[in-house]
Each structure stands twice: as C-alpha cells, then as structure tokens.
Amino acid sequence: KQGARVQDALSKEEIEFLKSKLIKSEELNKVLMVVTHTRTTTTDFEPELVQLLKTELDKDTLINVINASRKHSIDARIKKGQRISADYLMSLKDLLTHPEGEVVEWVLRVIDECGAQGVFFYKDIKKIKPKFTWIFNKHRRNIVQLVDMFHKRWMNAHGNE
C-alpha cells in the first residue's frame, strides 16, 4: 500500500543488500526505516548500526540509528537469550554526552531496555547533572526524570557511592 509501513521478513539477500546500504547510502534514513520496520529482528545489522552510532550524524538520523539498533541489537539478543554486545553498549555510552538532549533522552530510554545490563552505565548516568535551564526544554526535563529513575533503581545495589 502506498505510504504504508510494510513489515516484511527479509531474505538473506535483502539483509545483505540493506547492510551495504547502511554502510554507504545517500538515502540512509529511508534504509533505516526499512531496517527498523522489518517483522523480525536479527543481529546481522548490528556491526553496521554500531558503526553508524560512532559516526557523526545529524540528530534525526542518529535517532533513527538508535531506534533501529534497539530493535536489532537489544530485542534480537533478548529473544535469543544472549547478552547485549560490549561494542553496542560502548557505542551507547559514548552518546550519553551528546550535545543534543533528544539524543541523550533516546539513549537513556534504550538503556532502560537493556535490563540488568543497564547497570553498565551506572557511573556515566550518575555524572549527568541537570542545570536550571533544563526546565525549559522537554527533552532535558525527560533526561532528569530518567536519570532519577535509574538512581532510584540502582540505589539499593550501589548504596550512596
């Protein structure tokens, strides 16, 4: 249907084609939308998505990469009963200091989906200190709420470090 999101299962050939487009494409956001909205999850996209997370991209494209990576790195591994890869976790960690509040908010929401492995980010999240001016930005306000949620969740495990 024209304009509708198609949630298709991908063949191996289609996965390889999309992986090549993730590496080099003028229409990266369109490729990310296809990858994000596939019916099934697969860790096959993870190396390319992790590389994109480490690349300097505009805010909206980076958020699309974060969303696609959530599905194909976290969801796919959880379904398989596997731990989330250290490379993926490190790429998220690096984004916690991104200057765009919306990016940091997305990263914190993805960290929340990491389950017990989210504690990997404990020290980095603890470093996030809100500023008074954050009350005027909805993404920064959401960051404060998410950080507070993590502090409360992890307080019992880590005490008052």
Side-chain angles (χ1 to χ4, degrees):
K1 205 175 193 183
Q2 180 114 4
R5 290 184 179 165
V6 180
Q7 288 199 330
D8 289 330
L10 299 173
S11 68
K12 285 289 183 195
E13 294 80 23
E14 290 169 326
I15 289 172
E16 290 304 317
F17 173 78
L18 288 170
K19 285 173 62 172
S20 71
K21 291 295 184 185
L22 286 171
I23 294 168
K24 186 174 182 176
S25 176
E26 297 295 319
E27 298 180 324
L28 181 57
N29 280 312
K30 289 181 181 179
V31 175
L32 288 166
M33 286 298 134
V34 172
V35 170
T36 301
H37 294 98
T38 59
R39 186 174 351 151
T40 57
T41 60
T42 177
T43 56
D44 292 342
F45 294 114
E46 188 170 333
E48 290 77 15
L49 293 171
V50 167
Q51 188 58 44
L52 285 169
L53 288 171
K54 295 175 182 180
T55 305
E56 191 170 318
L57 300 168
D58 67 85
K59 177 189 71 158
D60 293 328
T61 303
L62 186 54
I63 289 169
N64 287 335
V65 174
I66 293 167
N67 195 29
S69 72
R70 177 198 51 79
K71 180 173 185 167
H72 293 290
S73 291
I74 296 176
D75 294 353
R77 289 190 180 278
I78 288 172
K79 285 179 183 177
K80 290 180 178 181
Q82 299 174 342
R83 294 181 59 77
I84 300 165
S85 74
D87 199 26
Y88 179 69
L89 294 174
M90 288 301 293
S91 65
L92 289 178
K93 181 180 177 180
D94 294 341
L95 290 173
L96 282 172
T97 57
H98 196 278
E100 288 285 345
E102 191 172 0
V103 170
V104 176
E105 178 186 355
W106 269 89
V107 171
L108 289 170
R109 292 188 187 283
V110 169
I111 289 170
D112 188 34
E113 292 185 39
C114 289
Q117 282 188 267
V119 77
F120 171 81
F121 302 98
Y122 174 74
K123 289 180 181 176
D124 298 288
I125 290 175
K126 194 174 178 182
K127 291 177 188 174
I128 298 174
K129 303 293 183 201
K131 296 175 178 58
F132 174 75
T133 56
W134 287 18
I135 63 173
F136 302 108
N137 179 292
K138 73 176 185 177
H139 299 295
R140 296 289 182 187
R141 284 193 312 268
N142 290 340
I143 290 170
V144 172
Q145 291 175 339
L146 289 162
V147 167
D148 187 51
M149 175 195 72
F150 286 121
H151 285 307
K152 288 175 183 173
R153 181 183 299 165
W154 296 331
M155 188 186 292
N156 291 336
H158 294 278
N160 291 327
E161 290 179 12

